[in-house]
Amino acid sequence: MNMTKALALSIAGLLLSQLHLRAQSPYLYLITFQGVCYQKNSSGNLAPVPLTQQTFLQDVAQAGGVDPKTLVLVYHIQGSGLGDTIDVVNASTGSTLVNLFGLYFGDTLGRTAATNATATVVRRVDYIYTQQNYTYTSWNPDAMGAAFTTKRFQTDAQGNVRTTVDAQMHWIVNPQGNASTKICSGSFTTTKPFTPH
Amino acid sequence: MNYFLLLVCFSLVAAPLGARAQSPYLFRMTFRGDCFQTNGAGQFVDIPITQNDILLAAAQAGGTSDISSMALVYHIMGDTTHGDTIDIYSTTTGQKLTTVFGLFFGDAPSLNRTALTNNAATEIRRVDYVYTFNGTTYTYPGGHSMGASLTTKRFSSDARGLVRTTIEGQMEWVVNPINGAGPKVLRATFTTTKPFP
């Protein structure tokens, strides 16, 4: 291999890596969550229970018999064929344990998302689907709530796309066992791309 | 004379009973929110809206800009089949002019969605689908739900048995492109104030 060919290959490799970076923007993001669920207490009154991302992780960990410290809550762009999801994943392997929420159909089924001209901001109202029975989600084939979702995409000088997603959401949790219906609301923000460690 | 006294006593007893049975089902309301849409340059702008903007949009769709004799009204079971509505009423005649929003299916066994009610039945929390029916600046005549509302209803009785109702909601909804305008994504809060008229 001569120098000219090697140089050409190196340049091609650099260009390809840049293209790869652009094409392979992260699709898993850690999220922070703040919210509240109202449910009936033993006196029959409606009482609030605060929610954070840790609440979901502890709930899933307890059900699965694993250490909550091994789990993280992530926003998963195109986590399913129907749209984005909020998942509990293994922090070390990145494997998905539970799909807690599906945020679907914000730009279909008679709804249109709003996007700015540069396609760097998208606002939409998604249906919320919950497809697992946990303390704060209950299985239902119908939507259980909605999310007002904003996605922002910024591109740096290297062509890397930084994505942030924030939303306000509210959803129903149907009665399970001795627990009453819960009516939950909260907001989340993505922080940084998730990489298994 | 004894007969007259008996009638007076009866009317005194019957009046509060009538008040209990005829609890108001129409309530004036305040409405505050934000409408996100793109401007002529394709950039997102946030336009604050109030109940007057909702009234004006509906009035303009009907060919007038005079909202001086209109009120935005929360109507309990405004749709006898599906649930509560947010309507526009004439303050002059007391007649309903149009329905702006339907807040439906927050407690629909057919969709496996349940509301949360305390034992005393004085507080109800639910997540309703939001339906819009007419093409105005802030509503789209969609057949699908266009958003959702986190709705809380409270009922308190005074010493005379009169029920005071307050209803508040956080809602978000989509307005699809119509009449040359791009899509809009809105969120708002509302609170009932006093019975209408």
Side-chain angles (χ1 to χ4, degrees):
Chain A
M1 183 184 291
N2 62 35
M3 283 292 285
T4 309
K5 191 174 180 183
L7 188 61
L9 280 174
S10 297
I11 291 169
L14 278 170
L15 288 171
L16 280 172
S17 69
Q18 292 296 310
L19 288 171
H20 181 74
L21 271 175
R22 285 185 207 185
Q24 296 284 318
S25 297
Y27 55 90
L28 290 172
Y29 295 87
L30 295 170
I31 63 177
T32 57
F33 189 99
Q34 295 288 327
V36 64
C37 272
Y38 278 85
Q39 61 187 42
K40 203 182 286 188
N41 63 16
S42 57
S43 303
N45 298 317
L46 305 192
V49 176
L51 293 177
T52 69
Q53 67 272 14
Q54 289 302 324
T55 316
F56 296 116
L57 298 179
Q58 286 165 1
D59 191 32
V60 170
Q62 189 173 13
V66 299
D67 183 350
K69 290 176 185 166
T70 65
L71 306 176
V72 290
L73 192 67
V74 299
Y75 188 89
H76 190 169
I77 292 179
Q78 286 296 316
S80 92
L82 299 173
D84 298 349
T85 58
I86 295 175
D87 300 337
V88 176
V89 304
N90 183 298
S92 300
T93 67
S95 61
T96 301
L97 273 74
V98 176
N99 163 228
L100 277 181
F101 300 101
L103 283 70
Y104 302 154
F105 307 130
D107 198 20
T108 184
L109 288 182
R111 294 181 176 188
T112 310
T115 307
N116 65 348
T118 54
T120 53
V121 183
V122 180
R123 294 181 188 272
R124 46 195 280 168
V125 176
D126 292 297
Y127 288 98
I128 289 180
Y129 286 80
T130 56
Q131 289 157 332
Q132 303 279 344
N133 283 323
Y134 284 97
T135 304
Y136 301 103
T137 58
S138 60
W139 177 88
N140 191 5
D142 278 297
M144 296 299 268
F148 183 98
T149 312
T150 304
K151 295 182 185 179
R152 294 182 177 85
F153 308 96
Q154 292 174 295
T155 306
D156 66 17
Q158 287 79 43
N160 296 316
V161 177
R162 173 175 157 73
T163 303
T164 55
V165 184
D166 60 76
Q168 297 168 18
M169 51 194 276
H170 31 253
W171 71 100
I172 301 166
V173 184
N174 282 331
Q176 299 176 73
N178 295 324
S180 73
T181 297
K182 298 180 184 74
I183 301 294
C184 305
S185 60
S187 58
F188 70 80
T189 306
T190 58
T191 54
K192 59 182 181 180
F194 166 70
T195 48
H197 55 79
Chain B
M1 188 63 183
N2 284 344
Y3 180 69
F4 178 74
L5 271 177
L6 189 64
L7 274 177
V8 170
C9 290
F10 177 78
S11 63
L12 282 172
V13 171
L17 287 173
R20 280 185 217 184
Q22 298 284 318
S23 296
Y25 55 92
L26 297 173
F27 298 90
R28 290 177 182 268
M29 56 194 293
T30 58
F31 194 97
R32 298 275 186 281
D34 296 280
C35 173
F36 297 93
Q37 63 186 92
T38 52
N39 60 15
Q43 299 164 326
F44 264 110
V45 289
D46 171 3
I47 300 170
I49 60 169
T50 68
Q51 65 271 16
N52 286 342
D53 296 297
I54 300 291
L55 292 175
L56 184 59
Q60 287 174 334
T64 178
S65 56
D66 181 7
I67 62 169
S68 60
S69 61
M70 296 179 184
L72 196 64
V73 172
Y74 191 96
H75 189 169
I76 293 177
M77 288 309 289
D79 180 315
T80 53
T81 304
H82 299 107
D84 298 351
T85 56
I86 295 175
D87 298 335
I88 295 176
Y89 271 73
S90 164
T91 55
T92 308
T93 66
Q95 297 298 306
K96 186 173 90 170
L97 301 174
T98 189
T99 294
V100 183
F101 301 106
L103 281 65
F104 302 155
F105 303 121
D107 195 15
S110 63
L111 298 177
N112 203 25
R113 292 160 61 101
T114 51
L116 173 63
T117 307
N118 65 348
N119 283 1
T122 55
E123 184 176 349
I124 300 171
R125 291 176 183 266
R126 47 194 283 165
V127 177
D128 294 298
Y129 284 115
V130 169
Y131 287 78
T132 55
F133 308 101
N134 301 302
T136 76
T137 304
Y138 301 113
T139 56
Y140 181 84
H144 288 277
S145 69
M146 299 305 273
S149 172
L150 175 70
T151 312
T152 303
K153 299 180 183 182
R154 294 184 180 85
F155 309 97
S156 56
S157 298
D158 66 16
R160 295 172 297 162
L162 295 171
V163 177
R164 174 174 156 72
T165 303
T166 55
I167 302 167
E168 60 192 28
Q170 299 169 31
M171 52 190 282
E172 63 278 320
W173 73 100
V174 177
V175 181
N176 286 334
I178 188 170
N179 298 334
K184 302 181 184 80
V185 180
L186 300 95
R187 61 185 174 201
T189 58
F190 66 81
T191 307
T192 57
T193 54
K194 59 183 182 180
F196 177 83

